[in-house]
Amino acid sequence: MIPTAPLGRARLPVTRLGFGAAPVAGLYAPLDEEAALRTLAAAWDAGIRYFDTAPHYGVGLSEERLGRFLAGRPRASYVLSTKVGRRLVPYAGPAADVQGVDGFHGTPARERVRDYSADGVRRSLTESLERLGLDRVDVVLIHDPEGYARQALDEAYPALERLRAEGVVSSIGVGMNETALPARFVRETDVDVVLVAGRHTLLDAGAARALLPLCLARGVDVIAAGAFNSGLLADPGAPGARYDYEAAPGPLLARARRIAAVCARHGVPLPVAALAHTAAHPAVRTVLAGMRTPDEVHENTRAFTTPVPAALWRDLAEEGLLPEAAVGEE
């Protein structure tokens, strides 16, 4: 059974393992509708009740598929987050031209337009609700505002703050794969949550050095994504193993294999340790894992609920293989 934890000021009951819905929108390779819905059904059957999506994922395909899957299920039975900052517009050229853009395949003929204005936020959320077929979402995150920090702080955030005050959304925040700008949001605004991707893992302590302690001190909840760093910590022996969506650099590949060897001595699969490490920090309420197939759902839920012996963390620390600022494993 997957436990739950309260998220944001509305204390939303999120499962400690959440479903990241980018892969079911054709991340890395096309995925047909039937296969995507089977994966979502496997997640539901496994007890996952927190789902995260975004217009960016498959230029709306993720939201559309997730909405079709959730249709008819009691709205109070799950927690849903989406994002703002990229509006979608029809693509005027050949549909083939948009395939593979930002890593998504088999997508509709749309393109993304960055927009962190107040009007853009409202329009983006309205369009997301239409794709989802819902009248509300629970959490809205400002998505990847690097390069747009001033507009995101001055326009996007106040727009979300008003929507939260009006009761349109329950919790608001920012979602990124870096740590400095989310820390600014925590210091300068009244966000409820921060989603940080790939920066709190067995290979990267970027978030644990400053962002996670800051969130803990300010009462801002953390959604931790990218525990496998795009796949390297799931299987460092796989051909073409990725780190942060690209081919894994040699030194990181070697380090991941050393971590896997220590895990093997304790009879612990590397993904079990990777998920446990990311979940362990007291600021983290839920860990998002992207899942493409029912088998991946089963593997991740099994891994997430498998205990890790304290001796494994001690051995990793003794061999210098725990990232700096790691906490919570002992």
Side-chain angles (χ1 to χ4, degrees), residues 234-253:
D235 184 4
R242 293 184 178 92
Y243 177 86
D244 283 2
Y245 307 105
E246 304 289 343
L252 283 177
L253 182 60

Side-chain angles (χ1 to χ4, degrees), residues 16-64:
R16 291 274 286 152
L17 178 65
F19 187 96
V24 295
L27 182 62
Y28 302 133
L31 187 71
D32 66 46
E33 177 93 358
E34 185 179 345
L37 295 179
R38 283 199 302 268
T39 301
L40 288 163
W44 187 273
D45 292 344
I48 294 173
R49 293 295 184 272
Y50 172 45
F51 298 87
D52 174 75
T53 185
H56 175 54
Y57 304 154
V59 282
L61 188 59
S62 175
E63 291 179 320
E64 291 167 346

Side-chain angles (χ1 to χ4, degrees), residues 16 30 80 115 141 146 156 170 195 202 205 216 228 240 254 280 324:
R16 291 274 286 152
L80 177 65
D115 188 348
L141 303 165
E146 65 267 29
S170 298
L195 188 159
L202 278 173
L216 194 60
F228 300 141
E324 182 184 348

Side-chain angles (χ1 to χ4, degrees), residues 158-179:
L160 289 184
E161 189 178 42
R162 285 191 292 273
L163 291 171
R164 182 180 62 188
E166 294 165 2
V168 176
V169 299
S170 298
S171 294
I172 61 175
V174 61
M176 300 184 69
N177 59 7
E178 65 168 68
T179 62

Side-chain angles (χ1 to χ4, degrees), residues 133-171:
L134 296 170
D135 60 2
R136 65 180 175 88
V137 293
D138 302 296
V139 182
V140 178
L141 303 165
I142 303 169
H143 199 188
D144 294 338
E146 65 267 29
Y148 301 85
R150 195 69 269 157
Q151 188 179 42
L153 286 160
D154 291 349
E155 298 187 44
Y157 169 76
L160 289 184
E161 189 178 42
R162 285 191 292 273
L163 291 171
R164 182 180 62 188
E166 294 165 2
V168 176
V169 299
S170 298
S171 294

Side-chain angles (χ1 to χ4, degrees), residues 234-296:
D235 184 4
R242 293 184 178 92
Y243 177 86
D244 283 2
Y245 307 105
E246 304 289 343
L252 283 177
L253 182 60
R255 185 177 181 87
R257 288 174 174 170
R258 289 180 62 200
I259 294 170
V262 176
C263 289
R265 293 205 305 264
H266 290 269
V268 175
L270 177 57
V272 172
L275 288 170
H277 169 77
T278 296
H281 196 285
V284 172
R285 294 289 174 268
T286 182
V287 177
L288 276 178
M291 307 183 221
R292 182 181 175 89
T293 66
D295 283 347
E296 289 183 4

